[in-house]
Amino acid sequence: MAYTEKDKVTQERLVSIAADWYGQMAGGQVPSITLPTRTKANIEYDAKTEVWKYGSKGTTRTANSAKSALHILKMAYVVGFLKQQLNESRSSTLREMYYISEGWKRAKFAAQDESNMLVEDLEIVTKLSREAFHLRPEEDGASIYGPLHLREQTKRGNRDIHCQENVGEAGYPIPSNVENIKFLDHDASFIIAMETGGMYARLMENGFDEEHNAILLHLKGQPARSTRRMLKRMNNELGIPVVIFTDGDPWSYRIFASIAYGSIKAAHMSDILVTPAARFIGVQPSDISDYNLPSDTLTEGDTAALKAILTDPRFDTEYWRHQIRLQLEIGLKSEQQAFASRGLDYVTKEYLPTRLSEMGIL
Amino acid sequence: MAYTEKDKVTQERLVSIAADWYGQMAGGQVPSITLPTRTKANIEYDAKTEVWKYGSKGTTRTANSAKSALHILKMAYVVGFLKQQLNESRSSTLREMYYISEGWKRAKFAAQDESNMLVEDLEIVTKLSREAFHLRPEEDGASIYGPLHLREQTKRGNRDIHCQENVGEAGYPIPSNVENIKFLDHDASFIIAMETGGMYARLMENGFDEEHNAILLHLKGQPARSTRRMLKRMNNELGIPVVIFTDGDPWSYRIFASIAYGSIKAAHMSDILVTPAARFIGVQPSDISDYNLPSDTLTEGDTAALKAILTDPRFDTEYWRHQIRLQLEIGLKSEQQAFASRGLDYVTKEYLPTRLSEMGIL
Amino acid sequence: MAIAEKLASQQKSISVAEFFEKNKHLLGFDSPTRGIITTIKEAIDNSLDACEEAEVLPDIWVSITKLTKETIRIAVEDNGPGIVPDNVPYVFGKLLYGSRFHQIRQSRGQQGIGISAAVLFAQLTTGVPARVISRTGADKPAYLFDLMIRTEKNEPEIIRKEEYNWDRTHGTRIELEFTGSLAAKRRLIDYLKYTAVVNPHARIQADIDGEWHSFERVSDEIIVSPQAIAPHPYGIEFGTLKRMAAISKDNVHEFLITGFSRVGLKSADQMLKIAGIKGTRKAKGLSSEHLKTLLAAMQEVDVPPPPASLCLSPITEEMIVQGLEKEFELDFVKARTRKAQVFSGHPFIVEAAIGYGGKLDQEGQALLLRFANRVPLLYQQGACAVTNAIAGINWRSYNISQQSLPIGPILLLVHVASTNVPFTSESKDAIAAIPEIEKEITLALQDLGRELKNFINKRDRNKLAEDRARAVCSIIPDIATKVAEIVELPPPDISPIEGQIMRRVVAKKKTEDGMVGVSVTNYTRKPIEVMVYSLSEDNQEEAVPKPDFIDVIGSEFNAVWRITIEPESAWKATYPGKGRGTIDIRGVDEKMKVVVDLDGIY
Amino acid sequence: MAIAEKLASQQKSISVAEFFEKNKHLLGFDSPTRGIITTIKEAIDNSLDACEEAEVLPDIWVSITKLTKETIRIAVEDNGPGIVPDNVPYVFGKLLYGSRFHQIRQSRGQQGIGISAAVLFAQLTTGVPARVISRTGADKPAYLFDLMIRTEKNEPEIIRKEEYNWDRTHGTRIELEFTGSLAAKRRLIDYLKYTAVVNPHARIQADIDGEWHSFERVSDEIIVSPQAIAPHPYGIEFGTLKRMAAISKDNVHEFLITGFSRVGLKSADQMLKIAGIKGTRKAKGLSSEHLKTLLAAMQEVDVPPPPASLCLSPITEEMIVQGLEKEFELDFVKARTRKAQVFSGHPFIVEAAIGYGGKLDQEGQALLLRFANRVPLLYQQGACAVTNAIAGINWRSYNISQQSLPIGPILLLVHVASTNVPFTSESKDAIAAIPEIEKEITLALQDLGRELKNFINKRDRNKLAEDRARAVCSIIPDIATKVAEIVELPPPDISPIEGQIMRRVVAKKKTEDGMVGVSVTNYTRKPIEVMVYSLSEDNQEEAVPKPDFIDVIGSEFNAVWRITIEPESAWKATYPGKGRGTIDIRGVDEKMKVVVDLDGIY
């Protein structure tokens, strides 16, 4: 992790935040910082890159309340820490930084959440990702299985790996820093990213990857940044179509949205994390009745989440409006493994081939 | 997954459960089934195998309450389903079986938990593991990084993998069925299994595996059966010592206990899942004061859990009594990444070497 | 200072009638609506008291007629002993005139205020005189009076008095005209209903502006009127003692024995000894100082409680239960009459009842019926010691929800009978919080609460067991089918299992190794006596135990056993044979019996 | 039937004294403990009423002495007009004897029962006669009486009457002996304290068994005694009308005008026209039917409400506030005297006050002071309309927690003044739930609640802003240090930032490009007037704006500006120079001022 030129830029951007505050204070002004407003109302579609980004609405934090003053103090400490870490070519996790803050007296973090938020703020201000700060995510990357040959630059040298031939049944696990991967070759028609491990294993057991030249990807719930970056790179650099297969409930649609549209939390990272070409294969609300799937009644929380989706600009399309309204109407949700009620092979022999050809991929 | 001889034994054991019920009913008796009582009070230390197993206390479920009758009915359906699955050499996840139960009318499962419990009951009665029933776990296996060379028999043929040289930074992911792994070679002095990904990455970044010939293993919280089985096999078959490195709180001690002593839930599987030789390296309650670690106050839940541990026969040793009482006294807990407050290298340069030599491993 | 003379000139005596005219809310005449209920209550109380004294079964007739939009005429008529003509004006036309004020015994009215206050209220609102008709016997004429009260003097004014041709041989009728409305009709009917509950010997009929309500008597037993007793030494105050002594002609020793309840020769001696007074002195001559010493001495000597059975007349448990059942058709009702107790020297008895289910409202707070000396209390429930005591009981421990009062289809009745019921005000709406009384109420209701809990539990338990068994029996066939499918055999006969679960009597026949077994299992909760019939080609003469009777019909043997089987027990007979034939049992309800021939299954 | 005669023989008249002796709880003599408070209350009420009528500033002396373990002597003495000797026995020895019963005006006592009931209670418990000393003027002798009540007749019995050598020129003293205890001493002191609060013109001194309590008068204004008024046509009942007509000598027209409040020529004409009665007929001769029609007509004509200012005597807002402040030392207190209103023809005025903080208990329920006609109500708080009204108000909307009553360091005072305060019972403990009265109480308290909310909010806001600023100022230096470390520069001077945050007046000097800027920013919330002093080697004659004064001291120029700055505004002056020298401001508290020379930083 020692690309000195890149690190130098990062350092400069971080220090310039402190320099701004210094200037404000020297001029007798209360220090402040302006950040884009991080709400649903302030994300906008960027036609050029086809992703959703923060709009022009900004929120200024001025140190004239104890809360804001403390926030700026903590930000100053984080900037100081990162500056030093970059100087020394070290890296650390957010959790480690949280513990390092023990020595920061009043600037000590009250909770992990707080340091996470603060690092996001710095990403936004510097227009750089946390990986550039040498901050490692805690979250686990997903696994890949399929006809893809890649080279990972590790601390122990380069590793060439074929994601069918050189890996066990659990596949190739995506490392935390995807920038270290170079694609060598592939023979894939499409990538199918799945929410659950059960479905990933089902497709593998049924030989779906071999039959359709598919890359199987296990998202493990809400996908980690590295997973999203990996999807983006495979789609962007190798031109492989991406389809997303999740449960049929609002939380799962949000998984899809975070891949295809970008998340509100990480809208400032949309350029590198979002795969606008990714498409939703299912479980669609219409599938629940079309395939007579076992289902659960929507909870109050589900209904509220669906209604929130209806006001989410990212979902403001004919397709989603129709599907969400349908789901609110029938009041049901189904999991992707629910297809098992029609037999263990139904999903690979019937459902997915049908949907893929509907979508023009098969 | 088609080892017909093994499958035949499995099938016979399953059918014999149904045969018992048939006999009871034909004789005018209400059908019943007896299972070991699955509470803390009924696990006993087995000196021969050095693991904790269910004792002799049994609970008999007789179908003279609606709840028990329904339980027996569901068990009968599961037995029927598994008999057929084995016949057809198929496999499935618990979740898939849950959905298949949609077609079972009144025997349909009300919740996933219920089918899990039931499969555990069948494991106990048949003295076979769920893998023998061709039931795949949903849970994710852990990752391994270190000087270990192995061969995995996959559905696509054998794969030979060296867990340092043929894998990326995320390591080698343990597959769901560890029985398909054959160990080829290794150069390891010990295995260090860690609770958090942050610590796993820290040891890798700091070159701990190379410096000490250590196999790093990321447990990902409460370890999956496959992870525990893998540890057991490495310890048992390769004779590599195992140390466990978790946070310093009661939930983490339970992680250790599930590896070294067996869990109450899976006491019937202790023989194949438990590594009695595994040792706890930290975070020990005594480390909190010895190393002046950042700590949190114990919650009411923590205190209750610690007190429960004091009555747990598995923890009835001098060492644990001392540590748990100490922790109750100081009223604090610390995470493993808390060592970062003393610098990013402290854990690999100071803490672990000191502890390992105390334990006679280094 | 001239001011004192000026003030003195304004001072004058106020008549008690004036006082109550101004303070009519004190007597329960706050509003015209309430005034009507109070009037009827006072009239009925008087009628019931009079009938009791005359030992007559009361027959009371109430009529309420709307004369104009705002005027109402009330008439109450009874078959009581009547009132002698000379007394009629005073009974109805003078406040504080009565026969029971100076007596120590249980009665409904006591102060001699109630009915005259109603007359006062009537003349205040309409100015129409009260009309009273009364006759004291078949041999006497009836008289009709039109009466008013001279408020400033508290004296009756006779407007009219004449002989009257009345078909009743004895009784009294009063008619009053009020300004008021029938807004509280519901409450009035409740009042009549509750009065009927605690006066099961009375017949009350009411014509409420054309609506007819009749409350029949449940019991023909004439209530023995409580007798007056002398004051008890523990309940007396200095002023009373002084007054009693002043009018006594006896010596102190005799004065103590005759003047007080439960004071005998011995206790009188003790009292005098402690007080240091010679028993031979005249009571009249004792100084205040002596009397004070005597009073103190009287408190020190052990004297038994007052003779409650003489002066109090509880309704009795049986009568309360009958009364409640008639009016509410309950699933459960129990009553308690507690032993007499004393507060401040006044004897009292608490009676209570709990009713459950039936026509009671399934939801909301319990229906609370409060009574004092057989009179229903309709107002100020919240201020009453009864309500207090009930709210203080932990009803949840009887599995009854509670929100201050208990909640559910529950009726609570509490009756306090005393020579001196301590009301919170003269309108007699609520019983004052006397700890002794509250304790008795609590104990009575706790006792009843436990019984109610048992009743509810038992009912719930039976229902639950039945439901549970039914649920199990609906699952067993599915198990049989599935299990049979797995083991690839025909489904077994599950009727004996069902019999066992449904707590039936199950008879089985099964043949193994040349021995036929006939068994009868009693899964019910009661012992049974049955006849077992076995019709078979096998010779059953060698059966153990031996049949009570064997009949040979052609080639078949008909064996009969007469047996008794305890609950949850089984009887069995065996004999050599091939098991051909049939069995049956008699003596058990068809619905309770399951007969299975296990030889027929395979 | 012989029974009727037997019953008749037992019937007799009951004296009102007997009645109340038996029902003493009705008058507030439930227990010896309570009896003592009631006695003192009745005696003080009488004293205050008498002083008011005589237009004397009341000086009341109370003494309570424990004679034996169980006996207590109470004495109450006043400087009132005294009572003429012939009347003394009746005032103290006869129930229902008084001067105010037939008058329509606000007074404390009304029924002529209270003090004689105390005498009755005393003789009942100890038998010791009441002692009364009274003198009506310096030119008259004082008389001493020992009095008892003949209960069965309700007549006074004079045990002793003699001239007495008394040092007072006028006044009355009563002494009574009771059986009882001082268990309620706390409540008694409260009663005296509360009485003092609503009678700021009275001095009350008490010797409670050796403990001395003094309540000084706050106001020397003599209260004008309320005057009696005629009844209002809306509040009259038929019976009263009939009685009034019967004793009238006027014709109906005159009868209406003189007999009733607020009935003038015109309204009398209207009433007669509606009733169809000739005005010239004598009122006395009208039949019941005519009177009924007249009464109805009287209700139909618009008549203004009764003249409350004449017959009622509110305490007034100012006096309530003074009284409360003296006794409770509150942080906040406000009072409201509402306009007079009418219920059932009786005029009434509601007054209320809210107090907050000070010596009040920080936790628990609000302290509730209830008054009726200037008399504190101590018992039955739960049954009172005042409590009801308070509990019905949503105090949470005034940011006050509530659990039925409001919670916190709050005092609520409610005074209901009326010609006829509707009590729930004759013991006068609680005001009855009259909607008109409850509404007035609610409105008064809601109004005060809003003011209290404003007070609390403002106080909280100021405190909060100050706390917040302090917190921020403790963090700013850390930010400065850390930021300086990152940019590798010396820490900046942060005093102007602190000045801004702490809302101070900040003066700054800063030199850029050869121009010196002197600025003063007023971050406070008020406009300021300051003098700016600038001592410098730079010549400040060219400063814009021009200094009001320039002094040359050696090589230095001393410039002075006198300026006014609005809140949150700044003033600035510039002049060419190098920025050497110092600045200062005067006219602002040192603690509020921050002066920074930014030229000194780098």
Side-chain angles (χ1 to χ4, degrees), chain A residues 333-344:
Chain A
K333 60 180 178 182
S334 288
E335 295 182 341
Q336 51 181 184
Q337 294 192 50
F339 286 105
S341 68
R342 314 196 68 177
L344 294 175

Side-chain angles (χ1 to χ4, degrees), chain C residues 354-545:
Chain C
I354 294 188
Y356 187 87
K359 287 180 154 183
L360 294 171
D361 193 7
Q362 282 299 310
E363 275 157 47
Q365 289 200 314
L367 178 60
L368 177 51
L369 311 188
R370 297 172 294 134
F371 298 91
N373 286 354
R374 295 191 184 232
V375 176
L377 309 182
L378 297 181
Y379 291 90
Q380 294 198 29
Q381 179 170 303
C384 189
V386 171
T387 316
N388 235 357
I390 292 172
I393 292 171
N394 181 9
W395 292 94
R396 291 185 192 88
S397 69
Y398 310 125
N399 299 343
I400 293 165
S401 27
Q402 179 171 21
Q403 212 172 16
S404 179
L405 290 186
I407 287 177
I410 296 169
L411 173 151
L412 299 171
L413 176 150
V414 175
H415 176 223
V416 178
S418 175
T419 53
N420 184 8
V421 176
F423 289 109
T424 58
S425 76
E426 191 45 33
S427 63
K428 297 188 191 173
D429 291 317
I431 296 172
I434 307 291
E436 290 91 336
I437 296 181
E438 289 193 345
K439 187 180 160 204
E440 282 296 297
I441 296 171
T442 302
L443 289 175
L445 286 172
Q446 282 176 336
D447 193 13
L448 292 165
R450 279 185 289 271
E451 297 218 26
L452 175 57
K453 183 185 177 183
N454 288 343
F455 167 79
I456 295 176
N457 279 359
K458 200 172 160 194
R459 201 193 53 172
D460 290 355
R461 238 186 351 254
N462 288 344
K463 194 170 170 306
L464 213 68
E466 178 82 11
D467 285 355
R468 198 154 42 199
R470 235 176 259 292
V472 173
C473 281
S474 76
I475 297 166
I476 296 287
D478 289 354
I479 298 181
T481 311
K482 189 73 197 175
V483 165
E485 176 199 316
I486 297 170
V487 298
E488 294 168 24
L489 286 170
D493 179 354
I494 51 169
S495 45
I497 299 179
E498 285 175 354
Q500 174 176 345
I501 289 166
M502 294 302 289
R503 303 202 162 272
R504 305 270 148 95
V505 178
V506 178
K508 284 189 285 194
K509 177 166 79 67
K510 185 165 189 181
T511 310
E512 267 176 323
D513 306 327
M515 288 299 285
V516 184
V518 175
S519 70
V520 181
T521 311
N522 174 13
Y523 291 111
T524 72
R525 289 208 174 79
K526 289 175 188 165
I528 51 165
E529 212 184 304
V530 289
M531 308 277 277
V532 183
Y533 292 82
S534 170
L535 188 71
S536 169
E537 288 181 25
D538 298 321
N539 183 347
Q540 300 174 54
E541 302 226 328
E542 287 174 45
V544 179

Side-chain angles (χ1 to χ4, degrees), chain D residues 556-569:
Chain D
E556 290 194 319
F557 295 82
N558 193 4
V560 182
W561 290 265
R562 170 177 286 124
I563 50 175
T564 305
I565 315 175
E566 291 301 304
E568 317 257 351
S569 304

Side-chain angles (χ1 to χ4, degrees), chain D residues 448-459:
Chain D
L448 292 165
R450 278 186 290 272
E451 296 219 26
L452 176 58
K453 182 184 177 182
N454 289 344
F455 167 78
I456 295 177
N457 279 359
K458 201 173 159 195
R459 201 193 53 170

